[in-house]
């Protein structure tokens, strides 16, 4: 493509902002957003709310209108909490949808700028490369070997070649499968061809994960058990006392106690907010199940370029005429020296084999060096015309540009080629001895961690150009070695992976010597390397055997990444794989966690991935794994608390019926407890910081259930402790000769305080319960304050006392309640010690 992008300025930032304000975002409707009434209807259809309403109706029948109104009013209080949770979840998903909008490369104010596709406006100049989705309908103004897949619009699977001479247009949502193009946007959003058809762009969906489905099954089963107990308790109470209405009320109370409706809320909130937290670490979650998988990742397969390195190339060393030159030596003693003349041709033809206004980091480095040292010489050719490009292919890792000089200097066509050294040697038809000798030079440069390119030149006098590069008579010119510095954060991140039991595998297209050099710099263990050539000769069984000890793969082509992923999966590993190109998509899909490069990755790679690195940095991946572990940990803590907190509620609802005691809990008491449980589950535990040993553990098994034996044991024991102290309080009330209302208040206050202790017990399983009291969590302060204030109100405000069937407690009574709650915390500490000891023994 013979176009100088420096001559095109595009829109100014002000013009673009004005058009965006006038015409709106470049996006189509992405589905129905639930209204406040739809959310309210969904909430009211939940079993817990149906039970509340049923309880309210019973109170009306019994003639207690005040208690009925209070009970029904709690529906609106809990509905408000649920609305808040829904709002946080929807806000997190909306933010993810915004981040996941397809990107676009535009020219604004004369500079290339990467923006969200939704921000493209009419009049923008867009630049598209292979693997990009076209962001809007646009008129082509320049192209090079451009072919577009328009099957979404036409149903035709054969890519369509696009030529400027044909006044071609490119349409939104079509895929560039080959080449490069520049176009001016004339239609966005509903004014595009895809908009007229009425298809919506693919966006993040809040699909139910395997974990959510498992939890919903658990809730359904417990709901069935709860309803069964409800009927049984109603029958027993009615039979024993003859009071069937109060029997039904007791049954409803028990059903509310058994039903753990918090579980779906925990998962929905934690996973949505988890995705939002991960996005703050420059990692976009495109598929929520990836968050579950992150905590179990055992292998990270990463590209070297741009992930482990900064992807800002510099020409460090050149070779021509059997002589090396360190480019840094040209700037010795702070003065710029001239480039020796024997290297002029090498820089000249490497620039001719690159784009005039390059996007590729290697071509940028070549242009920068050439412009600096060839300025004022005859080796810069701004007046030459690019006639044709021969692109890279799977069979030949080299490209060629065909140029034509001005007519007065016309000696036919001049061809410049650059690419992998072995491809250039092949184009030059070098003998085995010549190639072997040059390969020694290549290995010398590669051993210094340099990416090596070969350069060749040719002339051609005939008018009709050949179909293949091989038909030119190329002459070898030299080698260029480019340095790509390692990111400063990578060595520490590699060490963190080692501590966390996560294996890192580096995959690169560079030579084995280059890969070993980089591996040494970042602290990646292992000298053994498997090259792409060796991999092609291996059987799947042999690869599975060798991959257990090899952490470096060199000269790998994208298609081979899929074999690496499958070999690791066959060994039972949970694999995360990075990729950026069109050909990486199968490997990204096959991996348990596909990670696309956001800054340099193609849209196809993003679509195939689970996560997108908004900043192509390896440390972001490691931080995401840490957050994934933290999220899974906190879900388990919330689940443990929820299981445990329901046990004393169930016990104090069921035991009085069985032993013919006065009823302790009514529906209004259950609702009060729910006002503590719901926020604690969805807010306090979600905001809990990660454990100190989070990245010192081995990865959990992908088959490890959320509700394992340890969780259930801890929940049952913790809940049992609370039930015991509440029964002690109940017994003390009778021992002191308290009236039924005082005993109920005494028992209920003890239950509330012990349940608050349960929150501290489950905040961390590695720290003491009492240390957890002094560990900050901003959300916890509000939950504790609110619970204590409301407990005080129901105990001492006469109107609320009547509703809750309480009598005021003395200061001594309150002190005993706190003492029993403190006693329960010692019990929680003993349980933590016992379970941790058992875990260490089993390890």
């Amino acid at each position: 493509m013979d176009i100088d992008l420096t001559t095109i300025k595009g829109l100014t930032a002000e013009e673009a902002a004005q058009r965006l304000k006038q015409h709106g975002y470049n996006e189509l409707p992405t589905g129905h957003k639930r209204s406040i009434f739809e959310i309210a209807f969904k909430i009211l259809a939940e079993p817990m709310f149906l039970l509340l309403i049923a309880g309210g109706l019973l109170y009306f029948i019994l003639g207690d209108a005040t208690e009925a109104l209070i009970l029904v009013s709690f529906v609106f209080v809990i509905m408000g909490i649920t609305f808040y949770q829904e709002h946080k979840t929807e806000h997190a998903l909306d933010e993810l949808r915004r981040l996941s909008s397809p990107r676009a490369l535009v020219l604004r104010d004369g500079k290339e700028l990467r923006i969200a596709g939704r921000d493209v406006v009419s009049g923008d100049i867009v630049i598209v490369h292979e693997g990009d989705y076209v962001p809007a309908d646009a008129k082509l103004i320049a192209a090079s070997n451009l072919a577009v897949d328009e099957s979404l619009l036409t149903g035709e699977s054969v890519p369509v070649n696009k030529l400027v001479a044909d006044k071609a247009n490119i349409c939104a949502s079509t895929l560039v499968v080959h080449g490069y193009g520049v176009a001016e946007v004339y239609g966005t959003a509903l004014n595009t061809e895809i908009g007229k058809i009425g298809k919506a762009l693919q966006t993040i969906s809040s699909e139910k994960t395997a974990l959510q489905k498992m939890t919903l099954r658990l809730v359904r089963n417990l709901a069935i058990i709860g309803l069964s107990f409800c009927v049984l308790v109603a029958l027993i109470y009615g039979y024993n006392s003859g009071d069937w209405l109060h029997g039904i009320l007791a049954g409803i109370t028990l059903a509310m106690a058994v039903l753990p409706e918090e579980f779906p809320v925990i998962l929905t909130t934690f996973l949505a907010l988890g995705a939002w937290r991960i996005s703050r670490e420059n990692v976009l979650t495109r598929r929520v199940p990836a968050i579950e998988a992150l905590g179990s990742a055992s292998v990270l397969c990463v590209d070297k370029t741009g992930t482990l390195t900064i992807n800002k190339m510099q020409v460090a060393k050149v070779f021509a005429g059997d002589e090396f030159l360190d480019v840094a030596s040209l700037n010795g003693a702070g003065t710029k020296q001239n480039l020796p003349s024997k290297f002029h041709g090498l820089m000249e033809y490497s620039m001719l084999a690159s784009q005039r206004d390059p996007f590729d980091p290697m071509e940028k480095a070549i242009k920068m060096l050439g412009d600096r040292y060839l300025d004022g010489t005859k080796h810069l050719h701004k007046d030459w015309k690019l006639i044709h490009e021969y692109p890279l292919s799977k069979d030949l890792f080299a490209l060629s540009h065909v140029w034509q000089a001005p007519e007065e200097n016309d000696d036919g066509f001049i061809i410049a080629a650059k690419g992998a050294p072995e491809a250039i040697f092949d184009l030059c038809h070098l003998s085995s001895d010549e190639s072997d000798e040059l390969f020694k030079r290549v290995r010398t440069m590669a051993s210094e961690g340099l990416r090596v390119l070969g350069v060749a030149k040719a002339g051609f006098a005939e008018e009709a150009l050949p179909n293949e590069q091989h038909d030119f008579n190329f002459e070898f010119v030299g080698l260029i070695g480019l340095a790509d510095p390692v990111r400063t954060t990578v060595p520490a991140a590699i060490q963190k992976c080692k501590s966390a039991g996560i294996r890192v595998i580096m995959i690169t297209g560079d030579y084995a010597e280059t890969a070993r050099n980089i591996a040494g710099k970042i602290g990646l263990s292992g000298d053994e390397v498997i090259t792409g050539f060796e991999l092609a000769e291996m059987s799947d069984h042999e690869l599975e055997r060798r991959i257990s000890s090899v952490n470096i793969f060199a000269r790998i082509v994208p298609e081979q990444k899929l074999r690496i992923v499958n070999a690791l999966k066959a060994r039972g590993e949970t694999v995360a794989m990075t990729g950026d190109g069109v050909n990486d998509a199968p490997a990204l899909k096959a991996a348990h966690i596909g990670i696309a490069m956001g800054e340099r990755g193609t849209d196809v790679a993003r679509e195939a991935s689970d996560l997108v690195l908004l900043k192509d940095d390896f440390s972001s991946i490691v931080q995401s794994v840490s957050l994934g572990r933290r999220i899974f940990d906190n879900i388990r803590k919330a689940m443990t608390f929820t299981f445990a907190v329901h046990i004393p509620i169930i016990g104090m609802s069921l035991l009085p019926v069985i032993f013919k005691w006065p009823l302790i809990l009514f529906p209004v008491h259950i609702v009060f407890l729910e006002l503590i449980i719901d926020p604690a589950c969805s807010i306090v535990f979600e905001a809990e910081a990660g454990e100190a040993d989070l990245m010192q553990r081995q990865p959990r098994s992908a088959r490890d259930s959320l509700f394992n034996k340890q969780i259930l044991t801890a929940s049952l024991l913790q809940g049992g402790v609370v039930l015991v102290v509440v029964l002690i309080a109940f017994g003390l009330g009778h021992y002191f000769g308290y009236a039924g209302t005082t005993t109920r208040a005494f028992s209920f206050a003890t239950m509330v305080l012990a349940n608050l202790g349960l929150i501290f017990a489950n905040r961390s399983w590695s720290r003491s319960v009492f240390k957890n009291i002094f560990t900050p969590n901003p959300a916890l302060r509000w939950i504790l304050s609110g619970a204590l204030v409301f407990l005080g109100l129901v105990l001492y405000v006469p109107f609320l006392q009547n509703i809750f069937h309480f009598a005021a407690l003395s200061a001594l009574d309150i002190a005993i309640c706190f003492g029993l709650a403190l006693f329960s915390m010692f019990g929680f500490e003993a349980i933590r010690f016992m379970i941790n000891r058992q875990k260490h023994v089993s390890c």
Side-chain angles (χ1 to χ4, degrees):
M1 178 181 64
D2 190 18
I3 181 170
D4 187 357
L5 293 182
T6 59
T7 63
I8 304 175
K9 300 299 181 184
L11 298 176
T12 64
E14 292 76 13
E15 288 173 334
Q18 180 60 37
R19 295 188 187 192
L20 188 63
K21 184 178 179 180
Q22 181 180 354
H23 301 292
Y25 288 115
N26 175 37
E27 59 187 3
L28 301 178
T30 58
H32 176 65
K33 192 168 184 177
R34 292 185 300 169
S35 69
I36 190 170
F37 299 105
E38 288 173 308
I39 295 174
F41 180 78
K42 183 191 173 199
I43 293 170
L44 290 172
E46 293 287 337
M48 177 62 74
F49 292 97
L50 294 176
L51 289 170
L52 279 173
I53 293 169
L57 289 173
L58 273 177
Y59 276 118
F60 270 118
I61 295 170
L62 291 168
D64 194 343
T66 302
E67 187 147 354
L69 288 172
I70 291 294
L71 196 61
V72 173
S73 69
F74 271 120
V75 172
F76 296 99
V77 175
I78 297 180
M79 190 181 291
I81 295 173
T82 307
F83 270 127
Y84 173 73
Q85 293 165 339
E86 289 270 351
H87 171 72
K88 288 190 75 173
T89 300
E90 286 294 328
H91 176 74
L93 289 174
D94 283 343
E95 182 67 11
L96 293 177
R97 289 188 186 100
R98 184 188 69 78
L99 289 170
S100 67
S101 170
R103 306 150 312 137
L105 184 64
V106 299
L107 281 174
R108 288 187 181 170
D109 295 312
K111 296 179 180 178
E112 291 183 13
L113 184 66
R114 183 75 69 176
I115 63 172
R118 71 202 296 260
D119 294 333
V120 171
V121 297
S122 183
D124 259 327
I125 303 298
V126 296
I127 304 168
V128 291
H129 299 82
E130 178 181 328
D132 288 344
Y133 282 106
V134 178
D137 285 6
K139 176 186 175 184
L140 203 61
I141 58 177
S144 172
N145 299 317
L146 185 64
V148 178
D149 178 358
E150 296 183 337
S151 57
L152 185 66
L153 294 173
T154 65
E156 292 291 335
S157 59
V158 178
V160 179
N161 292 316
K162 297 289 184 177
L163 300 173
V164 177
D166 295 338
K167 298 182 179 178
N169 296 329
I170 52 178
C171 297
S173 298
T174 58
L175 174 65
V176 178
V177 296
H178 194 273
Y180 174 97
V182 180
E184 182 178 355
V185 173
Y186 64 80
T188 60
L190 292 173
N191 296 318
T192 61
E193 291 299 320
I194 191 72
K196 293 171 186 175
I197 293 173
K199 291 185 178 178
L201 292 171
Q202 182 181 358
T203 60
I204 289 178
S205 61
S206 53
E207 73 270 16
K208 285 184 173 59
T209 70
L211 201 56
Q212 287 173 314
K213 291 174 182 176
M214 180 174 65
T215 303
L216 287 173
R217 285 195 299 270
L218 177 66
V219 171
R220 180 196 63 199
N221 294 337
L222 288 175
I224 293 170
I225 294 171
L227 290 174
S228 302
F229 271 113
C230 172
V231 173
L232 183 62
V233 166
L235 291 173
I236 293 173
Y237 191 96
Y239 178 78
N240 288 336
S241 66
D243 187 349
W244 290 99
L245 286 177
H246 278 94
I248 295 172
L249 199 60
I252 289 174
T253 302
L254 180 60
M256 291 172 64
V258 171
L259 186 65
E261 35 71 11
E262 301 88 2
F263 287 172
V265 174
I266 291 170
L267 288 178
T268 302
T269 305
F270 277 51
L271 292 177
L273 292 181
W276 172 73
R277 288 186 187 279
I278 288 175
S279 73
R280 295 173 69 186
E281 299 295 331
N282 294 307
V283 180
L284 165 65
T285 305
R286 294 197 68 258
R287 295 183 179 88
V288 172
I291 297 173
E292 296 175 26
L294 269 174
S296 61
S298 59
V299 178
L300 299 181
C301 297
V302 295
D303 287 321
K304 176 184 75 68
T305 304
T307 308
L308 301 176
T309 61
I310 63 175
N311 201 27
K312 289 185 178 177
M313 299 285 190
Q314 292 181 329
V315 178
K317 199 166 196 171
V318 290
F319 172 82
D322 205 30
E323 184 178 330
F324 284 110
L325 174 69
D326 285 317
V327 173
S329 66
L330 299 178
N331 296 315
T335 60
K336 173 186 169 184
Q337 301 180 32
N338 292 327
L339 182 72
S341 58
K342 69 166 58 180
F343 298 101
H344 285 189
L346 174 61
M347 294 312 304
E348 174 186 10
Y349 282 96
S350 62
M351 291 180 72
L352 288 173
S354 305
Q355 297 291 338
R356 270 194 170 136
D357 187 43
F359 180 76
D360 180 82
M362 290 187 291
E363 294 189 350
K364 283 184 176 180
I366 290 169
K367 176 177 168 57
M368 184 182 297
L369 187 68
D371 285 345
R372 183 176 189 186
Y373 289 105
L374 298 184
D375 188 32
T377 72
K378 63 179 181 179
H379 298 286
L380 293 180
H381 308 289
K382 295 182 180 179
D383 56 342
W384 283 18
K385 182 179 180 181
L386 181 62
I387 303 300
H388 187 67
E389 294 184 37
Y390 294 91
L392 289 165
S393 69
K394 290 191 296 182
D395 301 319
L396 186 68
F397 294 147
L399 59 83
S400 298
H401 286 180
V402 180
W403 296 88
Q404 189 172 45
E407 292 184 5
E408 60 270 19
N409 299 322
D410 191 6
D411 294 323
F413 298 115
I414 298 94
I415 300 93
K418 77 173 191 304
E422 61 268 27
I424 294 298
F425 301 163
D426 184 28
L427 284 177
C428 295
H429 304 291
L430 298 181
S431 67
S432 297
D433 290 342
E434 290 172 321
S435 296
D436 290 344
E437 193 62 32
L438 287 171
F439 267 125
K440 292 179 183 178
R441 309 296 190 271
V442 171
R443 283 191 287 272
T444 297
M445 299 172 81
S447 64
E448 297 175 17
L450 303 180
R451 173 170 287 189
V452 186
L453 295 177
V455 180
K457 65 179 181 178
F460 195 75
E462 300 177 26
E463 290 188 10
L465 292 171
N467 293 326
E468 297 181 355
Q469 302 178 66
H470 266 295
D471 293 331
F472 295 115
N473 186 22
F474 278 107
E475 175 188 344
F476 178 72
V477 177
L479 301 170
I480 292 181
L482 297 112
D484 186 9
V486 169
R487 292 183 184 272
T488 55
T489 57
V490 169
I494 293 286
Q495 288 304 312
K496 187 178 285 189
C497 285
K498 289 181 180 178
S499 300
I502 301 170
R503 183 177 162 206
V504 178
I505 292 178
M506 180 174 70
I507 300 174
T508 179
D510 288 334
Y511 285 97
E513 290 80 4
T514 305
R516 283 196 187 95
N517 182 279
I518 297 297
K521 290 179 179 177
I522 63 175
L524 186 63
S525 59
D527 292 328
E528 191 177 355
V529 179
I530 293 178
T531 67
F533 308 112
E534 294 171 334
L535 183 59
E537 299 297 321
M538 281 185 194
S539 66
D540 290 341
H541 178 73
E542 174 67 9
L543 177 58
E544 287 174 27
R545 186 185 65 81
R546 290 196 59 192
I547 206 169
S548 62
S549 59
V550 178
N551 295 328
I552 304 171
F553 288 79
R555 303 307 276 171
I556 297 295
V557 296
E559 292 83 357
Q560 292 177 320
K561 288 185 177 181
L562 180 59
R563 288 195 65 198
I564 295 172
V565 169
N566 288 336
L568 290 166
K569 288 171 69 176
R571 292 185 60 83
E573 305 283 4
T574 300
V575 184
M577 167 67 78
T578 67
D580 58 4
V582 176
N583 294 333
D584 289 333
L588 293 174
K589 277 282 188 185
H592 296 99
I593 310 158
I595 305 172
M597 304 294 105
E599 292 180 330
R600 58 191 169 86
T602 63
D603 289 339
V604 170
R606 287 165 63 99
E607 289 291 320
S609 67
D610 303 295
L611 304 175
V612 178
L613 293 187
L614 302 179
K615 183 180 179 183
D616 297 351
D617 188 344
F618 177 73
S619 61
S620 296
I621 303 175
V622 179
Q623 186 61 26
S624 297
V625 172
S626 177
L627 281 171
R629 290 187 175 191
R630 168 188 162 183
I631 291 163
F632 193 86
D633 255 15
N634 287 348
I635 290 175
R636 275 189 161 174
K637 291 172 184 178
M639 293 291 190
T640 304
F641 168 78
T642 304
F643 265 121
V645 84
H646 278 84
I647 289 171
I649 300 174
I650 294 169
M652 296 311 292
S653 300
L654 184 61
L655 292 176
V657 174
I658 295 173
F659 295 107
K660 300 181 182 181
W661 299 339
L663 292 179
I664 301 297
L665 298 178
F666 295 116
V668 68
H669 302 123
I670 306 295
V671 172
F672 182 96
L673 293 169
E674 289 294 333
L675 293 177
I676 300 173
I677 297 169
D678 274 4
C681 290
S682 61
I683 300 172
V684 173
F685 287 109
E686 195 283 325
E688 195 63 43
E691 300 278 5
D693 67 341
L694 195 66
M695 292 298 282
Q696 276 79 51
R697 310 175 194 163
Q698 292 298 304
R700 66 177 177 82
S701 169
R703 295 180 294 275
D704 190 8
S705 171
L706 183 66
F707 309 103
N708 62 18
K709 182 180 177 181
Q710 178 187 332
I711 299 298
L712 292 174
T713 302
S715 298
L716 291 170
L717 291 174
Q718 288 178 352
V721 167
V722 177
L723 179 57
V724 167
V725 298
V726 174
L727 286 172
I728 291 172
F730 181 77
L732 287 174
H734 281 279
Y735 178 77
F736 295 148
Y738 289 160
T741 52
T742 306
T743 300
R744 182 177 293 111
F746 192 53
S747 303
F748 185 78
T750 302
M751 182 182 290
V752 170
L753 294 173
N755 282 343
L756 292 178
L758 265 178
I759 297 176
F760 289 111
N762 288 290
R763 286 185 61 200
S764 171
W765 296 329
S766 61
R767 295 190 303 266
S768 160
V769 174
F770 301 99
K771 282 186 179 179
N772 289 339
I773 296 174
F774 303 101
T775 305
N777 181 323
L780 179 59
R781 184 168 57 248
W782 293 102
I783 300 299
L784 289 176
S785 302
L788 293 174
V789 167
F790 280 117
L791 180 60
L793 290 174
V794 300
L795 288 176
Y796 296 108
V797 175
F799 170 71
L800 294 176
Q801 280 181 350
N802 292 333
I803 291 171
F804 279 79
H805 306 281
F806 285 164
L809 298 178
S810 67
L812 178 61
D813 293 334
I814 293 295
I816 293 172
C817 291
F818 271 102
L820 288 171
L822 183 63
F823 174 75
S824 73
M825 293 181 72
F826 281 103
F828 302 151
E829 180 65 14
I831 292 167
R832 184 189 72 86
F833 178 79
M834 179 189 71
I835 289 178
N836 282 343
R837 182 180 179 185
Q838 186 179 30
K839 186 166 62 175
H840 288 308
V841 169
S842 64
C843 290

